[in-house]
Amino acid sequence: MTDVTDIPDAPLPDRLARAITLAGPMPVSQFMAAANAHYYATHEAIGAGGDFVTAPEISQMFGELIGLWCADLWDRAGRPEAAWVELGPGRGTLAADARRAMAKAGFAPPVHFVETSPRLRELQAAAVPDATFHDSVDSLPTTQALIVVANEFFDALPIRQLIRRGAREQGGGWHERLVACQDTLFLPIAGKPVPPEVLPEPLRDAPAGSVLEISPASVTVMTALAGRIVAQGGAMLAIDYGYEGPALGDTLQAVRGHGFANPFDTPGTVDLSAHVDFTTLAAAAQGAGAVAWGPITQRDLLGGLGIDTRATALARATPDKSEAILADRARLMSDMGTLFRALAVTRADWPVPAAFGA
């Protein structure tokens, strides 16, 4: 398969089109990876002036409560030497708010960001000037416990899509979904068949047209981090929109200007994401020897961490902003509160994470 990065500098749709012309249709995962890498390197993605808003941008309460979750777990684990890590830190807002809350609780660890976009690194460095940057989890510290936060990180990792085309005896069965191109018009097509053994048994005989999504990239990241947590101590909190699989459905989506767009239209100009299979993430962590907690809803997480108490205190301290504070609290806890889920991962000898207990 031709690597689109090897093609001379040109608009991304042209480079992708040429790669497909030279080597044939490409997997959805490769298309998504190339599109998102270009998008995050060239666009102001997050915030009112961007294409979407994340929970930390809605209210400082989100980052503060996540910071207190980390500090509480570190404290109950015996206050080991630890590093605080965020995967895909956005504009650095969550980290700045979390760090402020952690410091008040006596936890002031070094901050490490896993981020590949130069554009976002500039924003993150402005928010947390002493953060250390990493291109991947491989270069994270090896001699300290790692306390890792991943908010809306896994949804942007590339996914494979498999599509059912009817009965196998009629040339159907499951096929890898590929992206073809006519001029610069991109469209998904069914590629070569895949053996049914790669699918969960309950889904193998799904109706024609069914789509199954898997994210090997997510499993790789989770397995690596869980292995580090087992070896070094620590914990991870992953928050994202998703489900408990296995499940069928095409969740690949694009966002532009706070609205949905065609994910195959003008790649590199829209944010591509897909719902996260938390069952698979938990299984990857457990396979590496870690303990997985949840998933629970974002509503249960923030409620268990005391968002109502924090919202009341903020509203009382700034009466002129009380209405906006309560509206922000409602936004985090209503539709977002049920769509988004949280998964915690710890080493076996670490305490039960706050909000995840029975």
Side-chain angles (χ1 to χ4, degrees), residues 159-314:
I159 59 164
R160 290 179 63 195
Q161 287 189 326
L162 307 179
I163 185 166
R164 182 68 188 269
R165 292 191 65 188
R168 287 194 298 275
E169 57 271 18
Q170 298 174 343
W174 287 95
H175 296 250
E176 177 95 18
R177 205 172 199 185
L178 306 177
V179 179
C181 181
Q182 296 177 347
D183 296 323
T184 53
L185 176 64
F186 299 94
L187 66 160
I189 64 170
K192 293 182 179 180
V194 297
E197 292 75 19
V198 305
L199 289 96
E201 188 171 357
L203 305 181
R204 292 175 187 173
D205 292 324
S210 298
V211 174
L212 174 68
E213 297 176 340
I214 55 178
S215 179
S218 296
V219 171
T220 298
V221 172
M222 177 58 81
T223 300
L225 284 171
R228 289 288 201 94
I229 287 169
V230 170
Q232 300 169 221
M236 179 177 180
L237 180 63
I239 305 169
D240 230 311
Y241 49 88
Y243 58 94
E244 295 178 59
L248 298 170
D250 180 358
T251 73
L252 180 65
Q253 63 185 29
V255 174
R256 178 194 287 125
H258 302 272
F260 291 109
N262 183 341
F264 300 102
D265 185 26
T266 58
T269 68
V270 292
D271 169 65
L272 298 184
S273 64
H275 287 223
V276 174
D277 180 354
F278 281 96
T279 301
T280 296
L281 284 185
Q286 292 165 336
V291 179
W293 305 87
I296 61 175
T297 64
Q298 178 174 293
R299 174 185 290 171
D300 287 342
L301 174 68
L302 297 180
L305 297 179
I307 191 173
D308 290 341
T309 300
R310 181 59 178 149
T312 299
L314 278 176

Side-chain angles (χ1 to χ4, degrees), residues 103-192:
K104 291 182 179 179
F107 184 35
V111 173
H112 295 260
F113 288 155
V114 177
E115 178 61 69
T116 58
S117 167
R119 186 184 186 93
L120 287 175
R121 282 191 176 193
E122 291 181 3
L123 298 173
Q124 294 155 9
V128 185
D130 57 344
T132 300
F133 287 93
H134 303 264
D135 291 328
S136 73
V137 301
D138 297 336
S139 61
L140 291 172
T142 59
T143 60
Q144 304 164 287
L146 299 180
I147 299 182
V148 184
V149 174
N151 181 63
E152 290 200 54
F153 170 78
F154 285 102
D155 68 279
L157 294 185
I159 59 164
R160 290 179 63 195
Q161 287 189 326
L162 307 179
I163 185 166
R164 182 68 188 269
R165 292 191 65 188
R168 287 194 298 275
E169 57 271 18
Q170 298 174 343
W174 287 95
H175 296 250
E176 177 95 18
R177 205 172 199 185
L178 306 177
V179 179
C181 181
Q182 296 177 347
D183 296 323
T184 53
L185 176 64
F186 299 94
L187 66 160
I189 64 170
K192 293 182 179 180

Side-chain angles (χ1 to χ4, degrees), residues 304-328:
L305 297 179
I307 191 173
D308 290 341
T309 300
R310 181 59 178 149
T312 299
L314 278 176
R316 186 180 298 117
T318 53
D320 57 319
K321 298 179 181 178
S322 61
E323 186 173 334
I325 290 168
L326 296 178
D328 290 342

Side-chain angles (χ1 to χ4, degrees), residues 298-299 327-339:
Q298 178 174 293
R299 174 185 290 171
D328 290 342
R329 177 256 173 217
R331 187 175 178 185
L332 292 172
M333 297 288 279
S334 58
D335 290 344
M336 286 185 71
T338 54
L339 176 63

Side-chain angles (χ1 to χ4, degrees), residues 62-80 82-87 94-95 97-103 105-111 145-151 234-239 301 305 343-346 350-356:
F62 185 85
E64 290 171 344
L65 293 175
I66 300 307
L68 292 176
W69 183 92
C70 296
D72 170 72
L73 192 54
W74 166 79
D75 179 63
R76 290 187 290 119
R79 300 196 164 203
W84 192 86
V85 179
E86 187 174 0
L87 309 181
L94 186 156
D97 291 337
R99 194 180 201 189
R100 184 176 61 252
M102 290 189 294
F107 184 35
V111 173
L146 299 180
I147 299 182
V148 184
V149 174
N151 181 63
M236 179 177 180
L237 180 63
I239 305 169
L301 174 68
L305 297 179
L343 175 73
V345 174
T346 65
W350 273 51
V352 178
F356 287 86

